[in-house]
């Protein structure tokens, strides 16, 4: 053992001498590590003739383990010892000068009893060569989130746990990046859970990738092209040519056609038969009621059990089970299917005297029929009462008040009563007919107070919703008139007159409008004529709808014609009119102002579009599924909308739920003409050409999880159908559960509770 240290030193010196003589540049790619056997095979000096070397015998007198392992002879050992001693002397002198190698001490071996040198163990501190190696995590390429719930992040080369480094929160990381100017040159290593600095070469590659350049700095995209096939002797016969395509490339082959037709004729004649699926010649039988389930058949129900025998089937039954002569004649006279029993009870003194059962074969056959007709699949049948599926609605008597009888009637003798409107205080009502007559009457008694006559039929009337003033608008052919009722308070009359006919007219708008405003001076005005008039563009048609904004300053009108589909928004205080749409899809039927938000509903024949007037954009498009929309109204909360159509459908929309209707009601037998929500009570009404008015209870809850409650309450009948038309418009009283209806028979009715 004493010569083991010098021997290893000499080997190192020999390797270092070889490296000094022939320096080799290491290439990491393609690096192979050979075993001792592979290295010996590649050695040319090693001559192996295929024989197995014998293991050298161990000399007990020798304490050199390296000699025994190598199997060297004594002579070779002696020569190497001399060389190693000389090498040891040289290295010992050099080591003493540099103090590189640790000092050894000589001890007596416990095994051989010979002296040997013992060197101290190398501690892995900063002075050792292994201190430069990183204590990397040796878990390999695995998902590191497996260690998220553990205090360590893996294991090192010795199998010890690598503890998770301490990490701060995001604020600490941000402050660290602010204090450290080189933080951007680091990258997070998932294996070690730490930021590691990037080398200059890696930073250069990253910068090149960000710039869209080649990562290799030595790559030259503009290097001169190597002429491989240019010059004498370098010509290459290329497969491409400039010759035109031959005709056979794009014409079907005649010979292939003949082959295909030959096969087709053989298939038609039956000489070529396609492969048929293999079928088993034997038919597989299995027991239907077997206890073990068959793999080829679905699981079945157990077989029905036959009825157990009773006392009447005994060979010696009691006397009460025996039939009398009359009962026997009655039993024989009945049909077999009407008999209570299939047999006649008989009494025998002993079992030996019991004859053979004559109905045995028939009974077995009936048993087979019972098994054949028995159900083999269990069908779950729910015992549900059909009445329980109908929703339980409250009684109409508990939902009062609502109109249920006709209180009064106002007659328009010469034309159909097209429209009706009620004042904001609910005391007065105004109605118009197709003869050009506008009638003002009192709601409580139905007494007519004032009548105006215009040229042309009245299309619509609408009262201004403001409480401080009192006037209403009347729409007829290409004109809208503003009228002041004669029975108003002096203060209200003065404010209304100052609004409609001010002393100084407001300045004209920046953009001229096609609608012309004309007013009558206060001195020359009388209650028989309008105080203010609007002249719509030519060929606009009759305004079929007038709709006020909730503040009473803006009014929208819809006409049957015009370039902008007859939709105009008029501002009364500034006397300015504008067309909100330059182009809109479809013919506009109705418009509505949202009660709480700056939204605008526009109904065409089949769609209802919701616009935001402040942002001037389309919010959503409602699809009621109606062929032709005739009427619509919005709930006072602004979250629900009802739409009626000429195809008898009434659709309820929840604006926050979906673009499709929440409910579709179909109670009328003919086209729906008008729908209206009550501004105060949970009621809405719909009128139709069938001459009826449907009253519904419509309660909307503040809880968004609760659906609205819609209950049909009453059907009001009082208008006569004239020329196929019934009730043309309905309006609720603002403060009472009263309803006013205008019919095609020329009457306006008031319905009270």
């Amino acid at each position: 053992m004493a010569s083991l240290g010098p021997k290893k030193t000499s080997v190192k010196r020999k390797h270092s001498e070889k490296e000094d003589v022939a320096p080799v540049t290491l290439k990491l790619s393609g690096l192979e590590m050979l075993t001792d056997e592979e290295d010996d095979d590649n050695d040319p000096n090693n001559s192996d003739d295929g024989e197995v070397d014998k293991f050298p015998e161990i000399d007990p007198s020798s304490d050199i383990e390296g000699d025994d392992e190598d199997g060297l002879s004594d002579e070779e050992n002696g020569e190497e010892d001399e060389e190693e001693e000389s090498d040891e002397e040289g290295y010992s002198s050099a080591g003493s000068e540099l103090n590189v190698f640790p000092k050894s001490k000589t001890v007596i071996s416990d095994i051989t009893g010979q002296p040997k040198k013992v060197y101290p163990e190398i501690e892995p501190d900063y002075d050792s060569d292994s201190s430069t190696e990183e204590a990397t995590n040796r878990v390999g390429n695995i998902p590191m989130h497996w260690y998220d719930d553990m205090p360590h992040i893996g294991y090192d080369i010795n199998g010890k746990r690598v503890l998770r480094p301490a990490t701060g929160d995001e604020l600490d990381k941000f402050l660290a990046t602010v204090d450290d100017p080189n933080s951007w040159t680091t990258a997070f290593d998932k294996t070690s859970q730490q930021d590691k600095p990037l080398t200059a070469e890696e930073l250069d590659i990253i910068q090149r990738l960000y710039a869209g350049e080649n990562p290799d700095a030595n790559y030259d995209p503009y290097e001169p092209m190597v002429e491989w096939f240019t010059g004498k002797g370098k010509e290459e016969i290329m497969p491409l040519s400039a010759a035109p395509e031959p005709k056979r490339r794009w014409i079907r082959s005649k010979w292939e056609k003949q082959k295909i037709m030959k096969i087709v004729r053989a298939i038609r004649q039956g000489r070529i038969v396609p492969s048929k699926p293999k079928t088993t010649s034997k038919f597989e039988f299995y027991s239907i009621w077997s206890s073990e389930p068959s793999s080829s058949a679905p699981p079945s129900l157990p077989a029905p059990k036959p009825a157990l025998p009773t006392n009447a089937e005994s060979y010696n039954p009691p006397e009460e089970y025996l039939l009398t002569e009359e009962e026997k004649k009655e039993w024989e006279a009945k049909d077999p299917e009407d008999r209570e029993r299939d047999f006649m009870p008989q009494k025998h003194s002993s079992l030996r005297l019991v004859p053979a059962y004559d109905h045995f074969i028939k009974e077995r056959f009936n048993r087979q029929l019972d098994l054949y007709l028995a159900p083999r699949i269990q069908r779950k049948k729910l015992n549900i009462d059909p009445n329980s599926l109908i929703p339980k609605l409250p009684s109409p008597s508990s939902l009062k008040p609502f109109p249920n009888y006709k209180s009064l009637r106002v007659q328009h003798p010469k034309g159909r009563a097209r429209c009706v409107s009620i004042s904001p205080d609910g005391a007065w009502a105004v109605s118009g007919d197709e003869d050009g007559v506008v009638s003002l009457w009192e709601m409580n008694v139905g007494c007519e107070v004032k009548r105006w006559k215009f040229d042309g039929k009245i299309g619509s009337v609408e009262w201004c919703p403001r409480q401080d003033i009192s006037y209403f608008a009347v729409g007829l052919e290409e004109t809208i008139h503003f009228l002041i009722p004669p029975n108003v308070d002096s203060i209200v009359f003065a404010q209304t007159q100052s609004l409609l006919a001010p002393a100084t007219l407001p300045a004209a708008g920046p953009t001229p409008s096609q609608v012309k405003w004309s007013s009558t001076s206060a001195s020359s005005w009388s209650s028989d004529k309008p105080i203010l008039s609007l002249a719509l563009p030519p060929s606009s048609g009759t305004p079929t709808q007038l709709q006020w904004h909730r503040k009473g300053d803006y009014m929208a009108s819809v006409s049957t014609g015009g370039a902008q589909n007859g939709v105009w928004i008029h501002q009364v205080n500034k006397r300015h009119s504008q067309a909100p749409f330059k182009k809109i899809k479809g013919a506009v039927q109705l418009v509505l102002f949202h009660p709480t938000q700056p939204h605008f509903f526009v109904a065409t024949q089949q769609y209802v579009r919701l616009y935001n007037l402040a942002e001037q954009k389309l919010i959503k498009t409602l699809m009621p599924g109606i062929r032709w929309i005739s009427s619509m109204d919005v709930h006072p909360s602004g979250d629900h909308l009802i739409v009626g159509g000429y195809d008898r459908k009434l659709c309820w929309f929840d604006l926050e739920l979906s673009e499709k209707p929440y409910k579709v009601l179909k109670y009328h037998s003919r086209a729906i003409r008008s729908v209206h929500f009550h501004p105060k009570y949970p009621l809405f009404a719909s009128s139709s050409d069938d001459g009826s008015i449907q009253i519904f209870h419509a309660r909307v809850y503040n809880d968004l999880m609760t659906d609205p409650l819609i209950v049909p309450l009453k059907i009001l009948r009082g208008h006569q159908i004239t020329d196929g038309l019934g009730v043309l418009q309905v309006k609720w009283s603002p403060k009472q559960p009263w309803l006013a209806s205008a019919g095609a028979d020329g009457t306006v009715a008031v319905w009270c509770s």
Side-chain angles (χ1 to χ4, degrees):
M1 294 300 292
S3 62
L4 183 59
K7 181 179 178 181
K8 292 184 179 180
T9 307
S10 63
V11 175
K12 290 183 180 180
R13 186 181 66 177
K14 290 177 182 179
H15 282 291
S16 62
E17 290 175 358
K18 291 180 181 180
E19 292 176 356
D20 295 337
V21 174
V24 180
T25 304
L26 295 177
K27 296 182 179 180
L28 296 179
S29 63
L31 183 63
E32 297 183 359
M33 181 176 292
L34 302 178
T35 60
D36 296 340
E37 291 80 0
E38 293 174 348
D39 195 8
D40 295 341
D41 294 341
N42 297 330
D43 190 1
N45 299 328
N46 185 17
S47 59
D48 190 2
D49 53 358
E51 298 181 357
V52 181
D53 296 338
K54 295 182 179 180
F55 191 79
E57 298 181 357
I58 299 176
D59 188 5
S61 61
S62 174
D63 60 348
I64 303 176
E65 298 175 1
D67 296 344
D68 298 340
E69 294 174 357
D70 297 339
L72 300 178
S73 61
D74 297 338
E75 296 177 357
E76 292 175 350
N77 290 339
E79 294 176 357
E80 288 184 0
D81 291 342
E82 293 177 359
E83 294 177 359
E84 291 170 0
E85 288 176 0
S86 60
D87 295 339
E88 183 182 358
E89 292 176 358
Y91 273 90
S92 62
S93 60
S96 61
E97 295 177 358
L98 299 177
N99 293 327
V100 176
F101 298 100
K103 295 181 179 181
S104 62
K105 58 180 180 180
T106 304
V107 296
I108 302 300
S109 175
D110 296 336
I111 300 175
T112 60
Q114 302 294 330
K116 66 176 182 179
K117 291 184 179 180
V118 178
Y119 293 89
E121 295 182 357
I122 300 176
E123 298 180 359
D125 53 3
Y126 288 101
D127 296 337
S128 63
D129 296 338
S130 62
S131 62
T132 58
E133 298 180 1
E134 300 179 357
T136 56
N137 193 0
R138 300 303 181 100
V139 293
N141 187 13
I142 63 171
M144 294 305 296
H145 64 81
W146 292 353
Y147 292 93
D148 288 348
D149 300 334
M150 299 181 182
H152 60 285
I153 59 175
Y155 302 90
D156 57 4
I157 194 173
N158 296 324
K160 296 182 179 180
R161 294 182 179 180
V162 178
L163 299 180
R164 186 184 303 276
T167 56
D169 53 4
E170 297 296 332
L171 181 60
D172 296 339
K173 294 180 181 179
F174 174 73
L175 295 176
T177 56
V178 172
D179 298 338
D180 188 7
N182 297 326
S183 61
W184 68 276
T185 62
T186 60
F188 183 74
D189 186 9
K190 293 183 179 180
T191 305
S192 59
Q193 298 290 320
Q194 291 180 351
D195 292 336
K196 289 191 176 182
L198 300 176
T199 61
E201 293 80 2
E202 294 172 343
L203 292 175
D204 182 60
I205 291 174
I206 293 174
Q207 291 176 356
R208 287 179 174 275
L209 291 176
Y210 268 105
E213 300 176 358
N214 195 294
D216 189 5
N218 299 326
Y219 174 73
D220 185 11
Y222 307 105
E223 63 182 0
M225 185 180 68
V226 179
E227 301 291 346
W228 298 103
F229 306 105
T230 304
K232 188 177 181 180
K234 297 183 179 180
E235 297 85 356
E236 186 74 18
I237 300 176
M238 304 301 292
L240 302 178
S241 65
E245 287 285 339
K247 190 177 180 180
R248 63 178 180 274
R249 295 278 182 90
W250 45 274
I251 290 183
R252 291 178 295 178
S253 175
K254 179 176 63 177
W255 312 110
E256 290 181 358
K257 180 182 177 181
Q258 292 179 359
K259 288 184 179 180
I260 294 174
M261 290 306 300
K262 183 179 179 181
I263 297 173
V264 171
R265 284 193 295 268
I267 293 175
R268 290 175 179 174
Q269 295 174 3
R271 291 185 285 108
I272 297 179
V273 181
S275 58
K276 296 182 180 179
K278 296 182 179 179
T279 57
T280 57
S281 59
K282 295 182 179 179
F283 187 78
E284 183 180 359
F285 296 94
Y286 57 90
S287 177
I288 298 178
W289 311 108
S290 61
S291 58
E292 298 180 359
S294 175
S295 59
S296 59
S300 57
L301 297 176
K305 296 181 180 180
L308 296 177
T310 60
N311 293 334
E313 300 180 43
S314 174
Y315 75 95
N316 188 13
E319 295 295 335
E320 60 268 16
Y321 287 98
L322 298 177
L323 301 180
T324 61
E325 294 297 333
E326 296 178 357
E327 291 176 349
K328 288 181 181 180
K329 294 180 181 180
E330 184 181 357
W331 183 84
E332 293 174 353
K334 289 183 179 180
D335 295 332
E337 58 269 9
D338 296 335
R339 294 170 181 172
E340 184 180 358
R341 297 188 184 96
D342 296 336
F343 60 94
M344 185 183 297
Q346 296 179 4
K347 188 177 181 65
H348 302 278
S349 59
S350 64
L351 189 59
R352 292 180 301 165
L353 301 177
V354 176
Y357 186 43
D358 53 350
H359 297 292
F360 176 77
I361 297 178
K362 187 176 180 180
E363 186 177 291
R364 290 295 91 192
F365 178 72
N366 291 333
R367 173 62 178 169
Q368 297 296 328
L369 290 181
D370 293 341
L371 295 177
Y372 172 72
L373 298 176
R376 295 176 179 85
I377 299 176
Q378 184 178 5
R379 294 181 180 179
K380 295 182 179 180
K381 184 177 179 181
L382 301 178
N383 296 324
I384 299 177
D385 185 12
N387 297 326
S388 64
L389 300 178
I390 302 175
K392 295 182 180 179
L393 298 178
S395 175
S397 59
S398 62
L399 301 177
K400 290 182 179 181
F402 57 87
N404 52 17
Y405 72 96
K406 184 191 294 186
S407 175
L408 54 92
R409 184 179 67 174
V410 177
Q411 186 71 33
H412 285 261
K414 294 185 179 181
R416 301 168 180 165
R418 274 279 177 185
C419 46
V420 64
S421 182
I422 303 175
S423 62
D425 56 358
W428 303 93
V430 61
S431 58
D433 58 12
E434 293 183 353
D435 194 37
V437 175
V438 177
S439 178
L440 176 68
W441 42 277
E442 192 175 358
M443 280 284 293
N444 292 330
V445 295
C447 178
E448 185 178 359
V449 178
K450 183 71 177 175
R451 176 177 291 189
W452 292 268
K453 182 69 173 69
F454 297 97
D455 297 333
K457 63 180 182 180
I458 306 299
S460 58
V461 294
E462 196 69 30
W463 213 292
C464 181
R466 291 178 59 176
Q467 298 281 350
D468 55 342
I469 57 178
S470 178
Y471 69 96
F472 57 90
V474 179
L476 58 153
E477 293 180 358
E478 300 179 0
T479 310
I480 299 176
H481 297 300
F482 294 90
L483 301 175
I484 301 177
N487 51 353
V488 294
D489 188 55
S490 59
I491 300 176
V492 176
F493 177 78
Q495 292 180 358
T496 306
Q497 191 175 21
S498 63
L499 175 67
L500 299 179
T504 58
L505 297 177
T511 57
S513 175
Q514 299 180 8
V515 180
K516 305 301 180 183
W517 294 68
S518 60
S519 61
T520 305
S521 61
S523 58
S524 61
W525 174 79
S526 65
S527 60
D528 296 333
K529 57 182 179 181
I531 191 173
L532 180 63
S533 299
L534 295 178
L536 298 176
S539 69
S540 294
T542 303
T544 57
Q545 184 197 18
L546 298 176
Q547 181 68 28
W548 285 97
H549 191 262
R550 67 181 185 279
K551 294 183 179 179
D553 191 20
Y554 291 91
M555 183 185 67
S557 64
V558 179
S559 302
T560 56
Q564 292 84 13
N565 292 304
V567 181
W568 291 91
I569 295 180
H570 314 280
Q571 190 173 4
V572 179
N573 59 352
K574 294 185 178 181
R575 295 196 174 191
H576 179 68
S577 301
Q578 59 180 347
F581 306 107
K582 293 182 179 180
K583 184 178 180 182
I584 189 170
K585 298 179 181 179
V588 178
Q589 306 295 318
L590 302 161
V591 295
L592 279 177
F593 286 101
H594 196 279
T596 58
Q597 297 179 1
H599 294 169
F600 195 59
F601 295 91
V602 178
T604 58
Q605 289 185 0
Q606 295 182 353
Y607 300 98
V608 178
R609 294 179 174 88
L610 178 59
Y611 294 91
N612 191 328
L613 297 178
E615 300 179 1
Q616 297 183 359
K617 68 176 184 180
L618 176 65
I619 299 177
K620 65 172 60 176
T621 301
L622 305 178
M623 293 175 286
I626 298 176
R627 295 181 181 178
W628 196 304
I629 296 175
S630 62
S631 56
M632 69 174 178
D633 194 22
V634 63
H635 193 267
S637 64
D639 296 334
H640 301 271
L641 182 77
I642 53 175
V643 179
Y646 291 115
D647 54 354
R648 303 173 296 169
K649 292 181 181 179
L650 190 147
C651 300
W652 179 292
F653 283 93
D654 189 344
L655 299 180
E656 297 183 355
L657 182 64
S658 173
E659 298 175 354
K660 299 293 181 66
Y662 162 69
K663 272 192 178 181
V664 178
L665 308 177
K666 201 170 182 179
Y667 289 98
H668 290 284
S669 60
R670 300 186 67 179
I672 296 176
R673 288 286 176 175
S674 177
V675 292
H676 193 217
F677 272 112
H678 197 287
K680 182 179 178 182
Y681 291 93
L683 298 171
F684 79 88
S686 64
S687 63
S688 172
D689 283 341
D690 58 2
S692 65
I693 302 172
Q694 299 273 358
I695 307 298
F696 294 88
H697 176 86
R699 183 174 297 277
V700 176
Y701 299 93
N702 296 327
D703 185 12
L704 298 179
M705 301 301 294
T706 305
D707 296 334
L709 178 63
I710 303 174
V711 182
L713 297 177
K714 187 72 176 177
I715 300 178
L716 304 177
R717 303 182 187 273
H719 290 274
Q720 300 296 327
I721 300 176
T722 306
D723 298 334
L725 300 178
V727 184
L728 301 179
Q729 192 174 18
V730 290
K731 288 287 183 178
W732 288 99
S733 175
K735 296 184 178 180
Q736 298 292 337
W738 299 346
L739 183 69
S741 61
D745 55 354
T747 60
V748 179
V750 177
W751 309 82
C752 297
S753 59

